[in-house]
Amino acid sequence: MKKEDVARRIVEVGIVPVVRASSAEMALAAARAICAGGIPIIEVTMTVPGAIEAIRELKKTMGAGVLIGAGTVLDAESAAQCLEAGAEFLVSPGFDRETVEFAKREGKLIMAGALTPTEVITAWKAGSGFVKIFPCGNVGGASYIKALKAALPQIPMVPTGGVNANTAADFLRAGASALGIGGELVSTAALKAGNFAAITEAARNYVTIVQAARCVAQEAE
């Protein structure tokens, strides 16, 4: 899949669910629950034991309609393993130039992490398709995205950290291209309890929030 198509799909959906779990099996179950709730994008973090095999299995079983990515990718070697397993995009909590340049050579989308304006500009100029603003909730949340976008409107940003059902619409109104959502969508409690229906319901709720926020924005234009 071309990285332009991946980027377009991420913007269309508006949500990048971040799956962190104690096992590959749990991650797979969480991913299926998310998709059942109407979000056809999954980011499996490399902190999941057996993450590579989880990505491979999701790629094999979820079908072409579901976009599978790898998160917490810290180096080019890990990035290569993720792409070989079938990941269509890469996400990192920070900026590693070698990893970004590797993704560029492979023609794959990478979402490098940054926080300050200098870091955001550096990641974007290096070739990051989106810039992941992390940890966004700790530095002002939606108001911080609004301030960054005022100075850097051309850079597509995906805030992660501090995004929840109460703040999601604010982040979109502030100019976020999409939202990275982890524990507020794939809750640790739900995973431990095997309550995957709760994850599906949370996914549906976020889809509704994103659609409503975008409708309001279109009407205001």
Side-chain angles (χ1 to χ4, degrees):
M1 193 172 186
K2 293 182 179 179
K3 66 179 180 180
E4 293 81 7
D5 296 327
V6 172
R8 190 178 306 112
R9 186 65 170 146
I10 288 173
V11 172
E12 285 174 356
V13 175
I15 304 166
V16 180
V18 182
V19 176
R20 298 185 183 91
S22 58
S23 68
E25 292 75 16
M26 197 71 77
L28 291 169
R32 295 184 185 108
I34 291 166
C35 292
I39 304 177
I41 298 177
I42 303 295
E43 175 194 326
V44 178
T45 68
M46 292 296 284
T47 58
V48 175
I52 296 296
E53 288 310 312
I55 291 168
R56 197 185 310 279
E57 182 66 17
L58 285 171
K59 184 68 176 180
K60 183 170 66 175
T61 61
M62 298 302 283
V66 179
L67 195 59
I68 308 299
T72 322
V73 179
L74 304 181
D75 52 58
E77 181 180 356
S78 297
Q81 292 174 342
C82 293
L83 296 185
E84 188 277 329
E88 291 289 353
F89 65 95
L90 305 168
V91 184
S92 177
F95 170 66
D96 178 72
R97 185 176 298 278
E98 185 179 327
T99 306
V100 172
E101 290 176 350
F102 169 78
K104 280 180 65 178
R105 290 196 302 272
E106 295 296 315
K108 292 296 183 180
L109 184 140
I110 186 166
M111 191 185 303
L115 192 60
T116 68
T118 297
E119 292 170 351
V120 171
I121 293 167
T122 300
W124 173 245
K125 284 188 173 181
S128 187
F130 295 89
V131 179
K132 171 179 175 173
I133 310 301
F134 174 80
C136 194
N138 298 70
V139 293
S143 63
Y144 187 64
I145 293 296
K146 185 176 181 179
L148 287 176
K149 289 293 290 186
L152 305 167
Q154 76 278 26
I155 300 180
M157 301 178 192
V158 178
T160 307
V163 182
N164 56 48
N166 295 321
T167 63
D170 292 335
F171 277 107
L172 292 170
R173 284 191 289 266
S177 295
L179 308 172
I181 310 176
E184 295 290 342
L185 171 53
V186 186
S187 80
T188 301
L191 286 175
K192 286 183 177 179
N195 186 5
F196 298 104
I199 296 173
T200 296
E201 184 57 33
R204 289 196 185 104
N205 186 41
Y206 279 109
V207 169
T208 299
I209 290 169
V210 169
Q211 291 174 343
R214 287 178 168 175
C215 283
V216 170
Q218 289 175 355
E219 290 172 359
E221 291 178 354

